[in-house]
Every structure is written in C-alpha cells, then in structure tokens.
C-alpha cells in the first residue's frame, strides 16, 4: 500500500502485529496490515485512512474531526491506525464507557501516551 499505491497513511511501526499503526479496514473489519498478504483479500474492500472521509477536499470523517477537536495525538505516527481502529470499534458497538473503549483499543499503542485524549475523542464521536 505504501510503496506501490502511495497510500502512506498506514504506518509501519513494529511490523509484528503489536502496535496497530498499520491498521486498515477490510470489508469494515479492522486488521493489522503488516501481518496480511494482499492476495489473502482479493475482491474485498480495503479502506485506509485516505479513503475514510470520502472526498479528499470535503469534510473530515466524524472520528477524524473528533481526534482534532480533542487533541488526540502528538507526533501523529499512530493516529491513522488509532482512527481506523476507532471507526471499527464504534461500528462494533464497543464504546459503552471509558474502560470498554480502552480494552477494545488496546491493540493500538501510542508512544506519546495520548490515551486520555483518544478515549475522549472516541467518546465524543460515539455521541454524534
Ligand atoms: S506495524 Fe502492524 S501492528 Fe505494528
Ligand atoms: S501520537 Fe505519537 S505515537 Fe501516538
């Protein structure tokens, strides 16, 4: 995705399935793309952060906007993966409270420790 398609939103962090920086959606389900061969998903819809908001010149996706509104990032390296995972979490119905959000976002690490703001952003997005 990054080198052939130029989609540099998904990040290569650990390359071991442990950090979540590479998270994308396949048919709406989150996966760690670093552990996934493209040929395993032929014919399926793969969504990266680039495709989340639809029109690149249009409005941000509500989860993207919530991350901006709540300062839910510092360096931003983990952010595309956090947002993709948060979108799936909301679709899965796992935003009941802070503890549930933390549990279901536990596969996405943030070395800047923006966790409180990430939880606040997801909570806000869940209410929209
Ligand atoms: S780069 Fe894929 S989980 Fe870390
Ligand atoms: S914002 Fe820097 S790693 Fe998460």
């Amino acid at each position: 995705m990054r080198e052939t398609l130029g989609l540099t939103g998904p990040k290569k962090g650990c390359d071991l399935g442990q950090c979540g920086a590479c998270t994308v959606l396949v048919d709406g389900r989150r996966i760690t793309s670093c552990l996934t061969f493209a040929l395993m998903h032929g014919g399926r819809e793969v969504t990266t952060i680039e495709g989340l908001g639809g029109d690149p010149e249009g409005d941000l996706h509500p989860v993207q906007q919530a991350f901006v509104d709540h300062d839910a990032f510092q360096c931003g390296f983990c952010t595309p993966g956090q947002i993709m995972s948060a979108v799936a979490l909301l679709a899965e119905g796992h935003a009941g409270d802070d503890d549930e959000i933390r549990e279901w976002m536990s596969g996405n690490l943030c070395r800047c420790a923006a966790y409180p703001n990430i939880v606040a952003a997801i909570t806000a997005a869940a209410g929209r």
Side-chain angles (χ1 to χ4, degrees):
M1 290 184 296
R2 293 177 54 81
E3 294 169 15
T4 304
L5 301 177
L7 299 172
T8 55
K11 299 293 185 281
K12 184 175 178 178
C14 64
D15 212 16
L16 293 168
Q18 296 178 347
C19 74
C22 64
T23 303
V24 302
L25 306 182
V26 175
D27 288 342
R29 294 187 58 209
R30 45 185 163 168
I31 65 162
T32 47
S33 58
C34 69
L35 297 182
T36 307
F37 288 115
L39 58 83
M40 296 165 64
H41 294 295
R44 294 186 176 152
E45 182 175 280
V46 178
T47 307
T48 69
I49 190 82
E50 286 88 347
L52 199 56
D55 179 2
E57 303 300 321
D59 294 336
L60 294 175
H61 184 282
V63 177
Q64 289 175 307
Q65 188 62 56
F67 269 62
V68 172
D69 293 344
H70 292 270
D71 293 328
F73 47 83
Q74 291 183 41
C75 77
F77 188 86
C78 73
T79 309
Q82 299 278 2
I83 290 174
M84 298 310 288
S85 202
V87 168
L89 174 150
L90 292 168
E92 295 159 7
H94 289 134
D97 57 27
D98 288 5
D99 286 344
E100 186 177 22
I101 291 171
R102 287 195 188 93
E103 173 67 22
W104 287 88
M105 289 295 291
S106 62
N108 290 81
L109 305 183
C110 175
R111 293 189 67 176
C112 300
Y115 297 114
N117 297 35
I118 291 170
V119 172
I122 295 171
T123 301
R128 288 182 184 162

